[in-house]
Amino acid sequence: MEPVLIVLVVLVVVAFIALIKTIQVIPQASAAIVERFGRYTRTLNAGLNIVVPFIDRVRNRIDLREQVVPFPPQPVITQDNLVVNIDTVIYYQVTDARAATYEVASYIQAIEQLTVTTLRNIIGSMDLESTLTSREVINAGLRGVLDEATGKWGIRVNRVELKAIEPPTSIQDSMEKQMRAERDKRAAILTAEGNRQSQILRAEGEKQAEVLKAEGEAQAAVLRADGEAAAIRTVFEAIHEGDADQKLLAYQYLQTLPELAKGDSNKLWIIPSEVGDALKGLGGAFTGLTGGANGSAMAAPSAAPAAPPATQVPIDPAAGPRPLDTDTKGAARPRIDPLREYRKNDPEQ
C-alpha cells in the first residue's frame, strides 16, 4: 500500500503544479509573452488565461502603463565650445509587448543612448544663450527623433523634458554679474521714471495752486473794489442827501489830520489849501458859540462884501519878483507859501 500511496501523492502534486501553470492571471494594464518550445506563440492580455503546462512558457510580463525614466546628467558641448551638463526625463509607454520583447534587447538602455546622441546633435548646433532659452525647441526635437526611432520597438515617447542645464561655474558667475547689471539698470531706469513723474506731478500741482491763488486774489480784489465803491457811493449819497454844511466838512478835515501824521517816516506834511478855509469856518463857528455863552450884546458887524479870491500866479524865476496878493482892504501884500512857512518853523528841516 505504501508505494501506491506515494504514487498518488506524486500525481496529486504534479496535477496541482500543472494546474498552477495552466491558469495564468494577468493584472490590468499588463501583458505577457507566451513561447511554445522557445517560439513566440501569443500575447496574454489582462484577466484569466489558460496555457498548456510544461509546453507553453510565459517569458516576461510587461507593464503597459506610462513610465518615467530620469537619465543622469550628460556633458554636451555647445556651438560656442562650452560644456554644459543636461539632465533629461523621458515619458514613454509600451504599445506592443511583442515588439518591445523581440525587436530590441533592452529598450530602456536603447532609449537612454538615443536620447544622449540626439541631445548632443541638437545642442551642438546652438550657442549657450539659445540653449538656456530654447527648452521647448530642444524638447520638441528630442521627442520627434525618439518617437520615430522607438516606434518599431513598440514604444511611444510621450514627452521629453530637460530637468536642468548647468553651464560651467565661470559662465554662471558671468551670467550672475550680467543679470545683476541688468537689474541695476532697470532699477535706475524705474527710479528715474519715478522721479520724473514726481517732478511733473509736483509742477502740475504748483501750477494749479498758483492759478487758483491768482484767481482767488483777483476775485478778492474785485470784491474789495466793489465793496469800496459801494462804500464811497453810500457816503457820497449820504453827504448829498444830508446837505452837509461847511462846519461838518471842517470837522471831517480835522479828523483826517491825525491819519496824515501816522508813521515814523513822516517828516513833511502837505496840507491842502481847503484846510485853511475849513479851519476859518470852524473857528468862526466856535467864536460865535463862545460869544453867545458869555452873554455879550455886541452887535454883529455888517457883512462885508466878500473879498475876491486871491489870484495864484505860477512862480517863474525869469519873470522877476513874485506877484503880490491883496488883502481885504485892497492893500498889496506878499503871498505866503504855507509849505515854506512850515519848513521854517520845523526845527528838523
Side-chain angles (χ1 to χ4, degrees), residues 275-333:
V275 175
D277 298 337
L279 291 177
K280 289 179 182 179
L282 187 61
F286 279 113
T287 303
L289 292 176
T290 305
N294 293 332
S296 63
M298 295 176 60
S302 60
T311 58
Q312 298 180 359
V313 181
I315 300 173
D316 187 2
R322 295 193 310 175
L324 301 176
D325 292 340
T326 57
D327 54 7
T328 56
K329 297 181 179 181
R333 59 179 178 84

Side-chain angles (χ1 to χ4, degrees), residues 7 49 67 137 144 282 301 341:
V7 171
N49 296 275
Q67 304 292 322
V137 177
L282 187 61
E341 294 297 324

